[in-house]
Amino acid sequence: MYLEIDGNAYPLNREWYYKESVTNKQFGFTYISPNVQPSLLFNAMINPIIPFPIKGVIWYQGENNAIRAYDYCTLFPTMINDWRAKWGYEFPFYWVQLANFMAKDEKPQESTWAELREAQSRTLALPKTGQAVITDIGDADDIHPRNKQDVGMRLALITLNKDYGKKEIVYTGPVFKSMQIEGNKAIIYYKNAANGLLLHNKYGYIEGFTIAGADKQFEWAKAYVDGNTIVVYSDKVSNPTAVRYSWSDNPDVNLFNKEGLPAVPFKTDDWKWITEK
């Protein structure tokens, strides 16, 4: 290809040079994505519909907040309370926890995505809330995993149980209840596992657990089912003080309840978050 001017041909497949005329830098302009511009999305998309009654909210968001996961412990419930105040009634608010994404960890490490999931779980302290856990159906290479059918199904289970009187429907996977230390082993007790725990592993190994002592150095743990509890240990940790489960960007998940819902990620420690200022 070439550009012809006054009988002269100028090839277009070579390096081009240009001179800046007017640039953003000259006016001190800094581009901010609409997704992070304060108040823009709310004023444009939420505020106009406040006069209309709604049954409830389904919220599928959080990736951009991972770098501020600790703040999300406050930001997320504050937003929910603010919306309810503006509508004037306490409508149901259900959300989707962050999916698994990015590369697998070769060794245990801190994770902003895991912290964001923790912030989401803590928001369940608000009334009329629910969370669909999808750490088993994400895509390591796609921040927007395509399997939305199972996501919708898990949200529907929450709604059927909480809003439509189907109390017999189990709507969440096993939820951490408490931990007991016995020697070099940690015994994990769960809620929402009345019908038993289920492993998707023919050898009976549970994946995704890490364990640490007082030095806060986490190691991959061995774990197995003992009745309705999980026994967690590592030959490298003789005096465990903390256990984490699914604590990574893309955790290995093969622990479910008998209804097929994945165990909820958790941490037993109260050590400082990496996103905590």
Side-chain angles (χ1 to χ4, degrees):
M1 297 180 64
Y2 63 90
L3 181 65
E4 184 175 341
I5 301 176
D6 295 333
N8 296 316
Y10 299 92
L12 300 180
N13 61 344
R14 299 177 183 175
E15 288 189 4
W16 279 68
Y17 300 91
Y18 67 93
K19 181 179 180 180
E20 293 182 343
S21 176
V22 177
T23 69
N24 292 337
K25 296 178 182 178
Q26 295 172 340
F27 297 93
F29 174 82
T30 302
Y31 174 75
I32 300 178
S33 165
N35 290 334
V36 297
Q37 177 67 46
S39 77
L40 189 151
L41 294 179
F42 175 83
N43 285 333
M45 303 176 70
I46 302 300
N47 195 54
I49 66 172
I50 289 176
F52 300 94
I54 60 174
K55 179 69 175 179
V57 171
I58 290 176
W59 183 259
Y60 195 152
Q61 185 269 349
E63 293 86 350
N64 281 336
N65 291 89
I67 60 174
R68 298 180 60 195
Y70 185 78
D71 293 340
Y72 205 73
C73 292
T74 302
L75 291 172
F76 193 33
T78 298
M79 187 197 76
I80 295 173
N81 286 330
D82 181 63
W83 285 19
R84 287 172 169 174
K86 283 180 167 55
W87 259 273
Y89 55 97
E90 194 175 67
F91 50 72
F93 197 108
Y94 307 139
W95 61 86
V96 181
Q97 197 183 56
L98 287 190
N100 49 308
F101 178 56
M102 296 181 283
K104 298 283 187 181
D105 291 339
E106 294 184 2
K107 60 180 181 179
Q109 57 185 301
E110 298 294 343
S111 164
T112 58
W113 277 52
E115 290 189 346
L116 196 285
R117 295 188 190 106
E118 176 70 11
Q120 291 175 308
S121 291
R122 292 188 180 193
T123 306
L124 291 170
L126 291 182
K128 295 186 178 180
T129 55
Q131 172 177 257
V133 175
I134 60 169
T135 44
D136 61 318
I137 55 175
D139 188 329
D141 300 316
D142 191 347
I143 197 171
H144 300 294
R146 299 185 179 185
N147 181 0
K148 295 298 192 294
Q149 183 170 356
D150 286 326
V151 176
M153 177 65 72
R154 293 174 187 182
L155 288 167
L157 294 177
I158 300 172
T159 303
L160 289 170
N161 178 285
K162 290 179 172 287
D163 301 300
Y164 293 96
K166 305 292 185 180
K167 297 301 181 182
E168 73 281 4
I169 290 179
V170 177
Y171 63 88
T172 181
V175 177
F176 172 76
K177 180 180 180 182
S178 62
M179 178 180 69
Q180 179 180 342
I181 302 297
E182 295 183 2
N184 70 331
K185 294 181 172 61
I187 314 301
I188 304 298
Y189 293 84
Y190 277 104
K191 298 180 290 185
N192 302 100
N195 295 326
L197 298 168
L198 178 66
L199 281 180
H200 288 177
N201 185 302
K202 64 181 180 180
Y203 300 109
Y205 299 135
I206 304 176
E207 301 169 336
F209 275 96
T210 60
I211 192 168
D215 61 359
K216 303 181 182 180
Q217 299 301 308
F218 281 90
E219 302 288 347
W220 292 121
K222 299 176 182 178
Y224 61 89
V225 176
D226 183 11
N228 276 354
T229 67
I230 304 294
V231 180
V232 184
Y233 68 99
S234 170
D235 296 335
K236 298 180 180 180
V237 181
S238 57
N239 297 297
T241 59
V243 169
R244 294 177 176 180
Y245 173 70
S246 288
W247 199 264
S248 66
D249 300 337
N250 188 0
D252 294 314
V253 176
N254 70 337
L255 178 63
F256 301 79
N257 57 15
K258 286 296 178 63
E259 290 75 19
L261 297 172
V264 180
F266 71 86
K267 64 194 292 282
T268 65
D269 61 271
D270 59 357
W271 299 332
K272 185 175 181 178
W273 296 27
I274 58 173
T275 55
E276 183 178 353
K277 297 179 181 178

